[in-house]
Amino acid sequence: KKLPPWLRRLQHVSSEDALRQLQWLEFALIERDFKSQDIQDILQTIESASHGDVTKMSGMVEFCSLLLQLEEPHKSPTTATSSHHDLMFATKDLLLASILHYGDCIT
C-alpha cells in the first residue's frame, strides 16, 4: 500500500507503539472530560475501523490528536480561565466521523 509522504513514517509502527498511542489518546480524552462511555466508543471505533492494521490505527490516533490540539483552550487577557465546554470543538461525533473518514481514505 502506498501512503502519502507525511504518513510513510507510520509504516514502521509496532503493535506496542499503537497500543501506547491508544493509551495516550484515552488519557487525553479523560483530561478533556469526555464521558467514559464516549471514550470507549472512540477507542472501539479505532480498533474496528483499522481492521487490526497498526499503521491505520496509529494514523487514526494521530488524526484525533490533531483535532484535539485544535481545541486547546486559550485564556483570554480579560479572564484568568476559560470554560472548556464553551470551546469544545472535538466532540465524540466529530472524532468518530474523523476516524471512519481516515479509515476510508487510507487503504
Side-chain angles (χ1 to χ4, degrees), residues 1-29:
K1 63 186 166 183
K2 181 109 168 141
L3 292 174
W6 59 90
L7 293 176
R8 285 194 188 130
R9 65 182 178 75
L10 297 177
Q11 288 179 312
H12 306 290
V13 172
S14 69
S15 54
E16 292 82 18
D17 291 336
L19 179 59
R20 274 191 294 276
Q21 288 178 307
L22 282 173
Q23 290 169 339
W24 173 88
L25 179 60
E26 182 177 11
F27 181 73
L29 294 171

Side-chain angles (χ1 to χ4, degrees), residues 38-103:
D38 291 347
I39 294 170
Q40 291 309 308
D41 291 347
I42 291 165
L43 298 177
Q44 288 173 353
T45 299
I46 290 172
E47 290 177 16
S48 68
S50 67
H51 303 288
D53 182 337
V54 294
T55 301
K56 258 190 184 182
M57 189 179 295
S58 182
M60 290 172 177
V61 171
E62 286 198 16
F63 196 37
C64 288
S65 172
L66 174 65
L67 294 170
L68 291 172
Q69 288 174 31
L70 290 174
E71 72 157 14
E72 287 296 319
H74 301 285
K75 296 178 182 173
S76 71
T78 58
T79 61
T81 61
S82 57
S83 169
H84 173 70
H85 295 288
D86 292 342
L87 300 171
M88 196 102 173
F89 167 74
T91 63
K92 172 191 168 185
D93 292 336
L94 177 87
L95 292 174
L96 292 175
S98 299
I99 291 163
L100 295 173
H101 175 71
Y102 186 97

